[in-house]
Amino acid sequence: QVSAALKEGRVTPGELCQRCLALIKSTRFLNAYITVAEETALKQAEESEKRYKRGQPLGVLDGIPVAVKDNFNTAGIETTCASNMLKGYISPYNATVVQKLLDQGAVLLGKTNLDEFAMGSGSTDGVFGPVRNPWSYSRQYKEKSVPKSHSEDEESNWVITGGSSGGSAAAVSSFTCFAALGSDTGGSTRNPAAHCGVVGLKPTYGLISRHGLIPLVNSMDVPGILTRCVDDAAIVLGSLAGHDPKDSTTIQDNFKPFELPDLPDVSKLSIGIPKEYQAPGLSSEILALWSKAADLFKNAGAKVIEVSLPHTRYSIVCYHVLCTAEVASNMARFDGLEYGHRSEVNKSTESMYAATRREGFNDVVRGRILSGNYFLLKQNYENYFVKAQKVRRLIANDFLKVFGSGVDILLTPTTLSDAAPYMEFIKEDNRTRSAQDDILTQAANMAGLPAINVPTALSERGLPIGLQLIGRSFQEKQLLTVAKWFEKQVKFPVIQLEEVKRHNHDVFQHQKSASFS
Amino acid sequence: LAPWIPVVGLEIHAQISSNSKLFSGSQVQFAAPPNSLVSFFDASLPGTLPVLNRRCVEAAVMTGLALNCSINKKSLFDRKHYFYADLPAGYQITQQRVPIAVNGSLSYSLCVDNKMSQMVTKTVRIKQIQLEQDSGKSLHDDTRSQTLVDLNRAGVGLMEVVMEPDMCCGEEAAAAVRELQLILQTLGSSQAVMAEGQLRVDANVSVHHSGEPYGVRTEVKNINSLRFLAKAVDYEIQRQIEELENGGTILNETRAFDSKLGCTVPMRDKEGKQNYRFMPEPNLPPLILYDAKSLPANMDHQQVVNIDWIHERLPDLPSVKRVKLVERYGILPEHSFALLNEDGLTEFFENVVKQTQMKPKKVIGWILNVLLSYLKQHSLTVKESPVSSVLLADLLNLLEKKEISSTAAKQVLAELWKGEGKTPLEIVKEKKLELIQDQKELEQICQAVIDGQENEVIMMVLG
């Protein structure tokens, strides 16, 4: 709708940009942004305005404020990965996806916060501090929360965004931008999307270029898309997908952007319910919601059947081996020589390396490097790395079998529960949390499949719960069509934030879910 | 005392002759200003990805075919990890599991007992050829306790050619490498100039007694020329023999060749056994090559490398060229060997033959015995020769037509070397070197000589 508004001149890109920048300022306590690129954003908005005046916008995204997770390279704007290692690092080039957004006229507001180097499921372990879930400050949550004591105030009660793309999810959820880029390696886009009540799309591996995305696990990473509705996600996907000669893992086939039908029809589909996703620790609330969702499909005429993905329970361990191995390798370049943090210690090259890496990385990163190097040692390689690759193949085959038997889409929960309070979350370490939280999202990364979180309902505590749809490779059109149908059915409520109300905005009012399509 | 059997294997790194690097678009150029040929990927900026250079693949396939290898239609890339200042990413992309070419052979010739006339052909097995990245250069400045790093070379494409331990001495090693060098230069896949670091050789040397298992081997590095290669290998063989005969043991270590002292010394920089933590390179899909049979019909031929297509276009290899020269010109095998061994000499020879009536069998003597030795004496290459093929042909024509004697010809040649721009005919006239054909004139001269030496003549006549 905002795009239409821009076209019709009801609002200008400049105004839009300024409102978003002001909102970012007044929601600074969320800590969603690491860098706000105010000057360049306003300039981009100015350029966009000129184009609209000439009647020549570049496309639907022209003038639309967006945010980008701080592990994507942005030329001239600091890229830190929320790590000391890259504090102050200004990349000389744009990631392909960033360039594509800019080429479409999108206005880049800034870089969003994350877990350091995208390692984590809470967006709590970055060097710039944790991100706060905007829903912590929503009327819906405040109404439901029971103060434990008089002295307690909302300050200590806030909940996490999930991670690792928490900053992007919070930015979209709090209306400071209309779309944001995240990354997804084990669920890092879908998990925070579920906790923040926004749409989080993980595209098929190889559909969107990773050139310029600072890698965590090269064989599983994908750029993720966070928006307030499914139609918006489809539009952003359309502008980003396609072969990139700079990324040899992107598919060669031509990608055609698609539009989703206004009235999607799911009656001819077969929806699979994988029984292994009823994982230990899954809240009864979410279980019930999942069941209700299955019924929704059934009542619409779809075939809903239980299926089995027997190797699901091995995916976490398998992921741990493969992820840490790639991390150990990918982090080897951070030696302080060419760029980034360099230690003062200079007795010898080796001592400089060691000190630089100790000072630059947090213990989550260092822990994964050590594990990864262990698994890659010659004497361990067969037993760990190669075995994990074989298990990965089994996990991927589970999906192939199920999709091959006539199932079109899988319906699962995205998270085990709603967002935890920060004070609770940090009681366990990063590794434990990741192992727990990734269980429902991780396997899709193993298999390279597309998956999407659709916000479904509010929990008893007034916090968002999302459900996940997993589709066949490169069948994003079908996946998003089903997601759009589901979104229309559940009518997820709009977050009611004081700050947003204050920035009383045509575009934010009146709509059931604010979007730009 | 039982004789020792030396065993020599070689690992040769040849820089691929291409415009850009193996995985990035930065230029390949020798002796450019430091760090002026470094792309974002070469500097290992986070988020950059490798993109395979087609020309490098073709160079490796050509080389593999020329060395009688099987070309693997599917080969893989791996990461080899170690920390060093000239390796920005902390790993090298190489082909450890499945290289691009395997199981080939290289035939080379040796002179027996230093006699050119007795040549023997030997063969060395080629274990494999793999594509990999070159590292940057680091210069240690000990006085200022610093290391200077130049990344121009980082990421340049290399072909590592592994020769099995089928050689037995320095001479064989040098001859094998020389032949490889000529092959690479003929193909154009590498310029293979050792002095410019385009061809680097590491030797693996061990000794054992016949019937016993192979001995512990050492790796010898820092060899900068063919001559030093032969020296280094022979020295190392001797050193190992002496060590073992004195009751010592050979360490499995890396040694550097010290050209000034003519010996090998342990390298202080290399650690013991490195664990390289090999891992598949996740950003590069398997390299698939096609041949005429397997090529899908609708494939964009810009996107594929066709082995058969490359095979059809291979130029004549040195061994073939030598046979053709012998057949065409009736020269001896050792002549053709010498012709190919000197850059540009074959062309020079053929040009002379074209422009003269003298038989090639005779021309070859002038080329190899006279011209070449002159060039060597003055450390000149054929290109730098002050005597062009035209001039030499002119001279040989005078000789052929019996207008001058061969002694006179050599004198003329000496004048031509001065490069003063005179033609052979001009020099002959100047120095009055013409052969006198006129009978009467000859008689007159002889009579004059006899007249001038009356006493000696009488002595001769008397006895």
Side-chain angles (χ1 to χ4, degrees):
Chain A
Q1 284 103 343
V2 84
S3 187
L6 284 171
K7 252 210 192 122
E8 290 162 23
R10 281 187 280 129
V11 68
T12 68
E15 281 169 358
L16 206 51
C17 182
Q18 284 184 359
R19 305 248 196 181
C20 288
L21 287 171
L23 195 51
I24 293 174
K25 283 202 182 92
S26 61
T27 53
R28 224 197 303 252
F29 54 89
L30 294 177
N31 203 17
Y33 287 81
I34 294 176
T35 305
V36 180
E38 188 161 334
E39 252 183 67
T40 54
L42 287 170
K43 234 181 262 161
Q44 286 163 8
E46 215 183 287
E47 293 299 313
S48 173
E49 242 177 80
K50 290 191 196 146
R51 291 191 290 267
Y52 273 104
K53 284 214 176 85
R54 293 198 303 261
Q56 293 171 337
L58 292 167
V60 179
L61 289 177
D62 202 337
I64 302 290
V66 298
V68 162
K69 187 174 180 183
D70 207 15
N71 58 354
F72 285 91
N73 278 274
T74 45
I77 300 172
E78 205 176 326
T79 301
T80 68
C81 295
S83 174
N84 271 325
M85 191 58 91
L86 289 177
K87 244 190 192 158
Y89 174 68
I90 306 217
S91 166
Y93 75 99
N94 278 327
T96 298
V97 289
V98 170
Q99 191 61 53
K100 284 190 171 187
L101 287 176
L102 293 175
D103 288 344
Q104 289 286 308
V107 172
L108 180 55
L109 294 173
K111 311 294 292 296
T112 57
N113 204 349
L114 59 153
D115 284 302
E116 183 162 336
F117 279 109
M119 298 185 208
S121 59
S123 304
T124 52
D125 284 328
V127 115
F128 298 103
V131 185
R132 298 186 185 199
N133 192 330
W135 284 84
S136 315
Y137 304 94
S138 68
R139 186 155 65 74
Q140 290 105 326
Y141 177 62
K142 286 188 210 174
E143 276 174 359
K144 295 289 178 78
S145 59
V146 180
K148 290 205 180 77
S149 67
H150 284 298
S151 55
E152 188 179 273
D153 59 2
E154 64 183 36
E155 267 308 296
S156 54
N157 213 18
W158 59 270
V159 299
I160 57 165
T161 51
S164 59
S165 311
S168 283
V172 172
S173 169
S174 60
F175 298 95
T176 59
C177 65
F178 287 81
L181 290 185
S183 66
D184 196 313
T185 308
S188 290
T189 290
R190 293 161 284 156
N191 174 296
H195 287 316
C196 293
V198 298
V199 170
L201 171 63
K202 174 211 167 295
T204 311
Y205 183 87
L207 183 61
I208 298 186
S209 171
R210 289 180 300 113
H211 173 253
L213 166 60
I214 297 176
L216 176 58
V217 183
N218 286 290
S219 60
M220 298 184 208
D221 289 350
V222 293
I225 297 171
L226 295 132
T227 56
R228 287 194 281 275
C229 72
V230 177
D231 274 327
D232 290 351
I235 291 175
V236 177
L237 179 69
S239 72
L240 296 181
H243 176 66
D244 183 9
K246 295 194 187 122
D247 178 351
S248 308
T249 59
T250 53
I251 45 151
Q252 305 273 347
D253 307 346
N254 284 324
F255 171 80
K256 291 190 202 86
F258 50 79
E259 255 182 55
L260 300 174
D262 284 325
L263 298 167
D265 172 25
V266 301
S267 56
K268 300 194 182 62
L269 294 177
S270 168
I271 309 292
I273 310 287
K275 63 182 187 194
E276 290 83 2
Y277 278 62
Q278 198 170 320
L282 185 64
S283 81
S284 45
E285 247 189 327
I286 296 191
L287 186 57
L289 204 58
W290 187 14
S291 186
K292 262 177 82 181
D295 288 339
L296 272 176
F297 279 103
K298 224 179 285 182
N299 296 336
K303 189 163 81 141
V304 177
I305 54 171
E306 191 190 69
V307 297
S308 173
L309 299 167
H311 297 93
T312 303
R313 65 179 179 193
Y314 302 118
S315 78
I316 290 296
V317 177
C318 177
Y319 175 69
H320 179 74
V321 173
L322 296 177
C323 171
T324 54
E326 285 218 32
V327 164
S329 178
N330 291 332
M331 298 296 144
R333 65 187 58 211
F334 295 105
D335 53 19
L337 277 185
E338 299 86 15
Y339 48 82
H341 173 68
R342 186 197 282 207
S343 168
E344 297 284 305
V345 175
N346 62 355
K347 280 184 275 129
S348 68
T349 313
E350 275 82 30
S351 61
M352 193 272 279
Y353 283 169
T356 295
R357 289 162 72 81
R358 174 153 237 293
E359 293 162 17
F361 293 139
N362 71 3
D363 49 5
V364 177
V365 177
R366 293 202 314 273
R368 294 202 194 185
I369 293 174
L370 288 172
S371 306
N373 277 323
Y374 177 79
F375 297 135
L376 289 178
L377 289 176
K378 198 167 175 193
Q379 58 267 37
N380 294 331
Y381 184 73
E382 277 289 326
N383 286 334
Y384 289 96
F385 190 86
V386 176
K387 266 236 172 82
Q389 291 283 35
K390 292 181 179 173
V391 173
R392 181 178 182 177
R393 172 65 61 199
L394 292 176
I395 293 170
N397 285 346
D398 277 356
F399 285 100
L400 279 178
K401 227 182 276 169
V402 163
F403 285 129
S405 70
V407 170
D408 299 300
I409 302 279
L410 295 171
L411 172 68
T412 79
T414 312
T415 54
L416 294 174
S417 64
D418 58 4
Y422 175 72
M423 301 306 287
E424 281 297 310
F425 186 77
I426 55 171
K427 284 192 184 150
E428 298 275 12
D429 65 63
N430 183 295
R431 165 134 160 63
T432 309
R433 286 296 181 203
S434 299
Q436 292 164 347
D437 301 333
D438 287 347
I439 185 77
L440 299 168
T441 48
Q442 214 294 300
N445 297 88
M446 284 286 188
L449 297 171
I452 186 169
N453 171 77
V454 182
T456 308
L458 292 182
S459 70
E460 269 172 26
R461 288 163 63 216
L463 294 171
I465 298 180
L467 290 178
Q468 174 178 236
L469 296 163
I470 305 176
R472 288 200 187 90
S473 268
F474 300 107
Q475 300 303 316
E476 271 77 355
K477 184 168 181 191
Q478 182 179 64
L479 178 67
L480 289 173
T481 301
V482 176
K484 179 171 176 175
W485 177 87
F486 186 68
E487 177 186 64
K488 276 185 167 356
Q489 297 300 310
V490 300
K491 301 193 188 51
F492 183 79
V494 178
I495 185 177
Q496 286 162 24
L497 279 177
E498 287 270 323
E499 285 72 15
V500 174
K501 277 223 184 100
R502 263 183 254 134
H503 292 263
N504 213 358
H505 201 301
D506 261 327
V507 184
F508 299 147
Q509 284 183 330
H510 309 308
Q511 271 86 25
K512 295 233 168 76
S513 61
S515 71
F516 60 77
S517 56
Chain B
L1 264 132
W4 289 100
I5 302 180
V7 172
V8 181
L10 299 174
E11 273 164 36
I12 300 158
H13 289 90
Q15 249 186 26
I16 299 174
S17 173
S18 59
N19 288 330
S20 55
K21 297 185 180 180
L22 182 56
F23 295 117
S24 73
S26 38
Q27 212 195 330
V28 178
Q29 195 192 306
F30 182 66
N35 293 313
S36 61
L37 304 171
V38 185
S39 68
F40 298 153
F41 174 76
D42 303 330
S44 79
L45 293 194
T48 52
L49 299 169
V51 181
L52 184 55
N53 178 334
R54 185 212 171 91
R55 157 74 187 155
C56 292
V57 176
E58 289 172 349
V61 172
M62 267 197 286
T63 307
L65 291 171
L67 294 176
N68 305 306
C69 296
S70 312
I71 306 296
N72 282 326
K73 292 224 192 75
K74 177 172 165 184
S75 61
L76 305 171
F77 289 100
D78 304 290
R79 293 184 181 180
K80 176 179 180 182
H81 300 85
Y82 60 94
F83 284 99
Y84 207 70
D86 60 22
L87 195 66
Y91 58 84
Q92 174 202 38
I93 301 180
T94 176
Q95 293 188 300
Q96 188 242 4
R97 288 168 294 155
V98 185
I100 191 168
V102 291
N103 296 337
S105 66
L106 169 67
S107 295
Y108 60 97
S109 301
L110 278 181
C111 308
V112 176
D113 297 332
N114 266 321
K115 287 192 212 143
M116 279 298 281
S117 54
Q118 285 193 49
M119 303 205 79
V120 66
T121 304
K122 297 230 166 190
T123 309
V124 57
R125 291 167 297 156
I126 304 291
K127 177 165 186 231
Q128 64 188 54
I129 300 175
Q130 65 203 54
L131 281 168
E132 59 185 36
Q133 294 174 302
D134 208 343
S135 64
K137 278 211 192 116
S138 36
L139 304 147
H140 298 291
D141 182 5
D142 287 325
T143 43
R144 291 199 198 82
S145 281
Q146 62 183 7
T147 302
L148 305 167
V149 181
D150 176 11
L151 296 180
N152 282 348
R153 204 184 65 180
V156 171
L158 293 176
M159 293 178 286
E160 179 175 328
V161 179
V162 182
M163 290 188 182
E164 300 275 27
D166 296 342
M167 295 160 282
C168 71
C169 60
E171 195 190 359
E172 287 191 1
V177 174
R178 176 66 183 136
E179 188 67 8
L180 176 66
Q181 206 176 25
L182 290 173
I183 291 174
L184 293 172
Q185 288 167 351
T186 304
L187 292 172
S189 57
S190 170
Q191 286 163 45
V193 175
M194 278 182 91
E196 290 184 7
Q198 292 161 341
L199 193 70
R200 311 200 282 265
V201 182
D202 299 332
N204 292 316
V205 180
S206 72
V207 298
H208 66 278
H209 287 303
S210 166
E212 284 177 15
Y214 280 16
V216 175
R217 63 155 198 237
T218 62
E219 190 188 13
V220 183
K221 286 171 119 56
N222 197 40
I223 298 166
N224 299 325
S225 73
L226 290 173
R227 224 184 80 227
F228 287 153
L229 172 60
K231 267 190 159 182
V233 167
D234 288 336
Y235 173 87
E236 182 58 18
I237 291 171
Q238 255 332 101
R239 184 192 75 85
Q240 289 192 12
I241 291 175
E242 276 167 27
E243 185 69 36
L244 290 170
E245 283 186 346
N246 287 334
T249 53
I250 305 299
L251 294 170
N252 175 216
E253 60 175 350
T254 303
R255 298 174 73 88
F257 179 65
D258 185 323
S259 51
K260 291 202 193 90
L261 300 173
C263 66
T264 64
V265 293
M267 274 179 86
R268 55 181 175 80
D269 222 344
K270 285 276 169 175
E271 299 153 35
K273 288 216 177 111
Q274 279 259 33
N275 209 311
Y276 291 114
R277 290 163 279 128
F278 285 100
M279 184 185 94
E281 169 57 67
N283 293 316
L284 291 169
L287 174 59
I288 309 289
L289 303 174
Y290 297 91
D291 55 24
K293 252 189 282 170
S294 65
L295 188 64
N298 58 348
M299 196 70 124
D300 179 7
H301 106 108
Q302 289 281 63
Q303 287 293 320
V304 302
V305 170
N306 184 335
I307 301 168
D308 288 337
W309 192 88
I310 294 176
H311 206 159
E312 283 158 25
R313 283 156 187 77
L314 286 180
D316 278 346
L317 293 182
S319 49
V320 172
K321 280 193 197 168
R322 289 186 194 112
V323 169
K324 284 191 176 172
L325 285 172
V326 168
E327 284 171 359
R328 188 162 176 201
Y329 299 109
I331 56 178
L332 295 175
E334 55 258 35
H335 294 157
S336 69
F337 187 86
L339 279 180
L340 257 69
N341 204 38
E342 191 64 34
D343 194 26
L345 195 57
T346 308
E347 207 188 328
F348 193 98
F349 166 72
E350 292 192 291
N351 282 338
V352 172
V353 166
K354 253 187 259 170
Q355 296 168 85
T356 180
Q357 296 98 347
M358 185 183 279
K359 289 231 166 82
K361 274 195 213 183
K362 278 177 84 176
V363 175
I364 195 77
W366 283 90
I367 299 284
L368 293 180
N369 300 334
V370 187
L371 178 78
L372 190 58
S373 57
Y374 184 85
L375 289 173
K376 290 292 171 201
Q377 254 175 44
H378 293 80
S379 299
L380 293 172
T381 63
V382 173
K383 281 198 194 80
E384 295 163 338
S385 171
V387 180
S388 67
S389 58
V390 176
L391 289 179
L392 184 58
D394 277 351
L395 177 60
L396 295 181
N397 281 340
L398 292 176
L399 187 54
E400 209 43 23
K401 285 188 274 184
K402 297 212 181 12
E403 287 183 32
I404 55 175
S405 68
S406 80
T407 326
K410 292 212 172 98
Q411 278 181 271
V412 175
L413 201 48
E415 273 300 307
L416 285 172
W417 286 130
K418 293 189 189 151
E420 286 163 5
K422 299 189 202 137
T423 67
L425 199 53
E426 285 166 359
I427 297 172
V428 165
K429 291 225 161 81
E430 222 181 81
K431 305 236 168 182
K432 296 200 167 47
L433 295 168
E434 309 91 323
L435 273 179
I436 302 168
Q437 312 279 15
D438 185 347
Q439 184 76 16
K440 267 218 178 98
E441 209 184 331
L442 282 169
E443 278 179 15
Q444 273 182 343
I445 295 174
C446 291
Q447 191 61 54
V449 171
I450 294 172
D451 290 343
Q453 314 280 346
E454 259 190 45
N455 288 334
E456 284 79 354
V457 172
I458 291 167
M459 299 293 274
M460 260 187 2
V461 167
L462 286 178

